Amino acid sequence: MTEQQLQSKIIKHAKLNGWLYIKTIKLSESGHADLIFFKDGKTIFIEVKKPTGGVNSELQLYRQKQFQNNGFIWEFCNNLEQFKEIILYI
């Protein structure tokens, strides 16, 4: 499965469960999450990685820490089950 296919599955599941989303294309700064989800006053940032061989860059790890230090949920996700678990416990 490609990263794009996984993103589509994650988006479909999120929409079926009432989440709104934004898919980032290119922001003014690099390293930000691919998808941002919103529901019931909650915000989740998800960086999608292909199921095998996806690598987290140093910049992405830095961005993750920045957001988490400010109280946001920012996770790497390489399969649909992992995403389901993330939204289940929010």
Side-chain angles (χ1 to χ4, degrees):
M1 176 183 314
T2 66
E3 189 173 301
Q4 183 60 38
Q5 290 169 325
L6 178 57
Q7 276 189 23
S8 295
K9 288 179 184 267
I10 287 172
I11 290 168
K12 182 178 179 181
H13 180 78
K15 286 171 59 176
L16 288 172
N17 286 278
W19 289 85
L20 303 173
Y21 78 96
I22 295 172
K23 179 178 177 182
T24 60
I25 305 298
K26 176 66 178 153
L27 300 173
S28 59
E29 296 179 307
S30 297
H32 289 282
D34 296 317
L35 302 168
I36 307 167
F37 294 96
F38 309 92
K39 183 179 178 183
D40 300 329
K42 298 171 185 141
T43 304
I44 305 169
F45 297 86
I46 300 289
E47 174 63 27
V48 179
K49 293 295 181 186
K50 59 185 174 181
T52 55
V55 177
N56 307 331
S57 74
E58 289 299 317
L59 182 55
Q60 289 169 332
L61 293 168
Y62 172 77
R63 295 281 185 228
Q64 179 187 39
K65 191 172 201 168
Q66 271 186 317
F67 278 75
Q68 288 176 338
N69 287 344
N70 281 285
F72 291 98
I73 298 165
W74 200 113
E75 299 290 340
F76 290 97
C77 189
N78 67 2
N79 64 68
L80 182 58
E81 294 307 314
Q82 183 181 14
F83 177 74
K84 289 178 181 180
E85 192 172 310
I86 291 167
I87 64 171
L88 181 64
Y89 294 106
I90 301 217

